Each structure stands twice: as structure tokens, then as C-alpha cells.
Amino acid sequence: MCIFCKIAKGEIPAKILYEDEKTLAFLDISPRSKGHTLIIPKEHYETFEELPEEVAIDLIKAIKRVIKKLKSLNPDGYNILNNNGPVAGQEVPHVHFHIIPRYKGEKEEVIKLSPPVEVDLDGVLEELKNK
Ligand code: 5GP
Ligand code: ZN
């Protein structure tokens, strides 16, 4: 069983912020900022595209609730992040969203996209046409 499934089943402890029938939100054990929270479906799915639509909607609702809760930390903004696949930086193979509150004056590189690369945009569009 994966580590987030164990957290969802209460087999290992986590600092839980929010819970409903389908979703669970808990503080990240290695926070990138004060209030860094992970939101997971209680059922095991590895990546975002595997989620049934209803579960994806439940997760989005939970994300909104958690963001409301985190407002009391007075962040100046926040990132919502979802990594899929090891090449994208996914370390735990149980789909999760990061909510990372951001505070003015803190390092921007906590979570910055890498610089742009050269891509043939027309070529990409052509490859994706009618898919
Ligand atoms: P990923 O790189 O897969 O998008 O993010 C995984 C996140 O899970 C990391 O930020 C990491 O700190 C967090 N994490 C890994 N194991 C645990 C754990 O056992 N408990 C909690 N609360 N967070 C964890
Ligand atoms: Zn799992």
C-alpha cells in the first residue's frame, strides 16, 4: 500500500486539515512554505488522468475549501501544483495537489517554472490536431 493510502486509512499519522468522504488534506512533511498542504483522493489513483471525473470534481471542491482555510495564515498568494509521473517530479505515486501559500519577501524559486525551451508551435498543433 502506498504511503498516502496509509495516511488515508489512518495507519500512519498526518497533520490533517480537512477531510470529507472522498478526500483528505494534510500538511506536507517537508513544507516549501508555511501552510504547504497536500490534498488527495482517499482512493488510490496514480495520476490525474486516472481520476474518475466525479473524484476530480471532489478534489477541486476540497482544494477550494483548503484555500479558504489557509487564508487565515494571510498569504499574499498561493500555488496549486500537481506533478504527474517521475519525469514531472512526482515522488509519491498517489495523485495529490500541493497548495503552497506564498508570502511577499520569500524566495520566488520555491516554485518557479524552468526557462522556456524552443518548440515548433505549428508542429505541435499539427500533431495534436483531431486527437
Ligand atoms: P511530489 O513530488 O510527489 O509531487 O510530492 C510529494 C510530497 O509529499 C513532497 O512534498 C513530500 O514532502 C510529501 N511527503 C512525502 N511523504 C510524506 C509523508 O509521509 N507525510 C506527509 N505529510 N508528506 C509526505
Ligand atoms: Zn495510494
Side-chain angles (χ1 to χ4, degrees):
M1 199 192 301
C2 92
I3 190 141
F4 287 177
C5 279
K6 287 184 183 160
I7 288 177
K9 290 184 189 342
E11 289 179 11
I12 63 169
K15 303 199 183 302
I16 293 171
L17 280 195
Y18 171 79
E19 179 168 14
D20 60 34
E21 199 194 330
K22 301 279 184 194
T23 69
L24 186 67
F26 50 93
L27 294 179
D28 194 297
I29 205 166
S30 305
R32 271 50 163 210
S33 76
K34 183 181 172 189
H36 182 173
T37 300
L38 300 174
I39 301 171
I40 64 167
K42 287 184 173 174
E43 268 178 57
H44 183 89
Y45 300 97
E46 196 162 326
T47 55
F48 187 72
E49 82 275 7
E50 289 175 14
L51 288 175
E53 215 165 82
E54 323 78 69
V55 182
I57 290 166
D58 288 337
L59 269 180
I60 298 286
K61 287 181 179 165
I63 288 169
K64 299 261 300 174
R65 292 197 178 141
V66 167
I67 288 169
K68 260 192 196 156
K69 227 183 221 307
L70 291 172
K71 285 274 173 198
S72 50
L73 298 177
N74 295 314
D76 298 297
Y78 54 86
N79 296 98
I80 302 174
L81 177 69
N82 165 235
N83 300 323
N84 294 278
V87 73
Q90 183 178 13
E91 285 172 7
V92 178
H94 182 131
V95 68
H96 53 280
F97 281 84
H98 299 253
I99 309 294
I100 307 177
R102 305 302 298 273
Y103 305 92
K104 277 184 193 151
E106 281 190 356
K107 295 182 295 181
E108 277 190 21
E109 66 267 26
V110 172
I111 181 154
K112 264 254 180 193
L113 290 177
S114 49
V117 295
E118 203 139 312
V119 173
D120 167 16
L121 298 183
D122 287 328
V124 176
L125 204 58
E126 188 61 32
E127 273 189 54
L128 294 176
K129 227 164 55 182
N130 307 322
K131 294 284 188 231

